[in-house]
Amino acid sequence: MSKTSLKIGPLPDKTPQKLTVLVDPSLAAELEDYARIHSEIHGTDVPAAALVPLMLETFLASDSGFRKARRSLPDISRSTG
């Protein structure tokens, strides 16, 4: 084993996890509209399903109450993203 040390350690597991979510028809329509608008603005077709994880990440990152409360949870096999 090499004694070389790098500032960047082993990469975390980035294997996508499948999560099935049911949404109301009105929310599904809004997500599709968002995807259409996003595609028009950026010139690349992106399905709503590809945008939802980014939307959730943005929402969770912006919720300071969640971040504060999460720090008090036991650290049992959860990522610290």
Side-chain angles (χ1 to χ4, degrees):
M1 188 170 240
S2 174
K3 298 220 182 211
T4 303
S5 177
L6 299 176
K7 289 190 182 265
I8 297 174
L11 298 178
D13 182 6
K14 290 288 195 172
T15 304
Q17 302 294 308
K18 184 172 183 169
L19 177 66
T20 302
V21 178
L22 300 176
V23 297
D24 290 334
S26 60
L27 178 56
E30 286 185 77
L31 290 170
E32 289 299 328
D33 289 346
Y34 190 101
R36 283 183 23 214
I37 294 166
H38 183 277
S39 295
E40 288 174 14
I41 289 172
H42 297 286
T44 305
D45 284 340
V46 178
L51 294 173
V52 170
L54 300 171
M55 293 173 168
L56 291 171
E57 281 183 31
T58 300
F59 173 79
L60 292 174
S62 70
D63 190 330
S64 60
F66 168 70
R67 286 193 319 272
K68 182 179 179 182
R70 188 172 189 225
R71 285 192 293 268
S72 69
L73 292 176
D75 188 22
I76 301 173
S77 299
R78 63 179 166 88
S79 67
T80 55

